[in-house]
Amino acid sequence: MNEIWVNIGTANNAARLELKEVHGTSGLGVMQLRFHFEASCRDEASARRPMWFEGKVHAVGLGTSSGYLGRLAVESSPVILHSLAATTTFVLVADLDHRQLQIIEEHRTGGMKFRLEVTGTAMTDGKLERIGVGSIECEVSQSNWVVILEQMQYRRLLLIELDAPDTSRSAEYGTALSYYRAAEKHYLNQEWRLTVESLRQTLAALVGKKADDEDEATDVAAAAKALRKESMNTTVGYPPRAEQVRLALKFMADLGAHPEVAETTKADACSTLLMVGGLLHGWQR
């Protein structure tokens, strides 16, 4: 169970802390994990006594990358249980940076598991005294973790950390970017095949086509040959060159030659996502 018992003086189990939910939020260069607790008074020793909680949070189950994430701090202090059997809520927050989340995403294989080590103090006769708290492990399912990443606005930038482009530059571009957002969500869910499929749709939508168009290798070869011939007689700018990149990436993302789902790996999905993100950022057509 996601609970911790608080010992105050000689009173064991004087209060109970139950972890109810885990949320995320974003700030200026900082993201937060927010652990929502319900405190309940189980002994008079904890009634009407201001309490302050803090601690540490660790990531668990990430192999050699498991370990300390950051300090836990109570969002609003103190926590007061006004009578026996009274309850109240409070939030312990941990600040994270983008790199920490990147490491988590590189090593997690599903949901997330955290270990919280909670300590505390209480006010007794105008003096602060340490109180015994404890630690718990909490598991967050993969679907809930994806929601938390969205709450923290993780990867609201393209993966190469360029500002997300303006969706209003054209109807085709807006459609392409919506497919790219879908690809990002599939990637967070570790759905490599669906990631590449959404990128395939992204690249076709950029020029107002459907995903099943331009499936042939001969299309890519013919277009490259034509542009090479043109470059011998005139200056070829970036937009025509970008179109060649789009065609090549579209061929990379076409799954007709990859009948087995398992053939699309994380490395395939990640590299294609990076390249298509870069193309979207500089697309001028």
Side-chain angles (χ1 to χ4, degrees):
M1 297 178 65
N2 292 340
E3 63 179 29
I4 306 173
W5 290 92
V6 179
N7 302 323
I8 300 178
T10 59
N12 293 328
N13 300 341
R16 177 174 177 262
L17 310 181
E18 182 180 3
L19 178 60
K20 291 291 190 179
E21 297 176 312
V22 184
H23 292 168
T25 189
S26 65
L28 188 60
V30 177
M31 291 160 280
Q32 282 187 338
L33 278 174
R34 301 171 57 83
F35 298 91
H36 293 249
F37 281 87
E38 180 183 84
S40 55
C41 183
R42 297 304 178 91
D43 188 281
E44 285 289 353
S46 64
R48 298 170 297 280
R49 180 171 295 189
M51 294 179 288
W52 292 262
F53 298 105
E54 59 183 354
K56 302 176 183 178
V57 59
H58 301 256
V60 180
L62 301 176
T64 56
S65 294
S66 298
Y68 174 74
L69 276 179
R71 293 204 60 81
L72 291 168
V74 69
E75 186 173 56
S76 57
S77 295
V79 176
I80 302 177
L81 297 164
H82 293 285
S83 62
L84 187 63
T87 62
T88 190
T89 59
F90 67 95
V91 181
L92 289 176
V93 299
D95 290 341
L96 306 179
D97 61 34
H98 194 270
R99 180 56 184 155
Q100 287 175 300
L101 288 178
Q102 281 184 315
I103 293 173
I104 287 173
E105 288 305 288
E106 288 169 3
H107 293 89
R108 73 177 178 92
T109 57
M112 275 298 300
K113 181 183 289 187
F114 299 102
R115 186 176 76 254
L116 281 62
E117 298 176 358
V118 182
T119 60
T121 55
M123 183 71 74
T124 303
D125 297 328
K127 297 180 180 180
L128 288 175
E129 64 173 346
R130 300 296 295 179
I131 56 178
V133 191
S135 64
I136 58 171
E137 285 193 354
C138 72
E139 293 191 28
V140 180
S141 68
Q142 177 166 286
S143 59
N144 287 341
W145 179 245
V146 171
V147 171
I148 290 170
L149 290 176
E150 292 178 346
Q151 291 169 343
M152 291 190 287
Q153 298 189 12
Y154 177 64
R155 284 182 176 159
R156 285 292 179 91
L157 301 177
L158 300 182
L159 284 177
I160 47 178
E161 297 193 3
L162 299 169
D163 290 336
D166 182 6
T167 60
S168 64
R169 65 172 66 172
S170 71
E172 292 83 3
Y173 192 86
T175 300
L177 197 57
S178 68
Y179 280 126
Y180 188 85
R181 292 302 191 200
E184 288 187 308
K185 290 184 178 179
H186 287 310
Y187 187 85
L188 291 176
N189 279 313
Q190 302 180 345
E191 298 166 337
W192 317 132
R193 179 82 163 195
L194 294 178
T195 298
V196 177
E197 173 59 30
S198 291
L199 293 172
R200 176 175 178 254
Q201 294 171 320
T202 298
L203 294 161
L206 268 178
V207 293
K209 295 184 178 182
K210 296 186 180 299
D212 289 336
D213 298 335
E214 309 172 311
D215 279 354
E216 299 298 326
T218 53
D219 295 334
V220 182
K225 184 177 180 179
L227 188 64
R228 178 66 176 172
K229 184 177 180 180
E230 181 183 350
S231 69
M232 295 178 180
N233 302 310
T234 185
T235 300
V236 177
Y238 279 107
R241 294 167 186 258
E243 169 60 11
Q244 294 303 299
V245 174
R246 186 196 67 81
L247 281 170
L249 284 173
K250 175 64 167 51
F251 182 65
M252 179 180 181
D254 285 329
L255 299 175
H258 307 288
E260 300 297 330
V261 173
E263 290 184 16
T264 305
T265 66
K266 179 179 181 179
D268 299 323
C270 183
S271 59
T272 311
L273 197 61
L274 283 166
M275 289 186 282
V276 175
L279 181 68
L280 278 173
H281 187 77
W283 189 254
Q284 302 176 42
R285 183 168 173 173

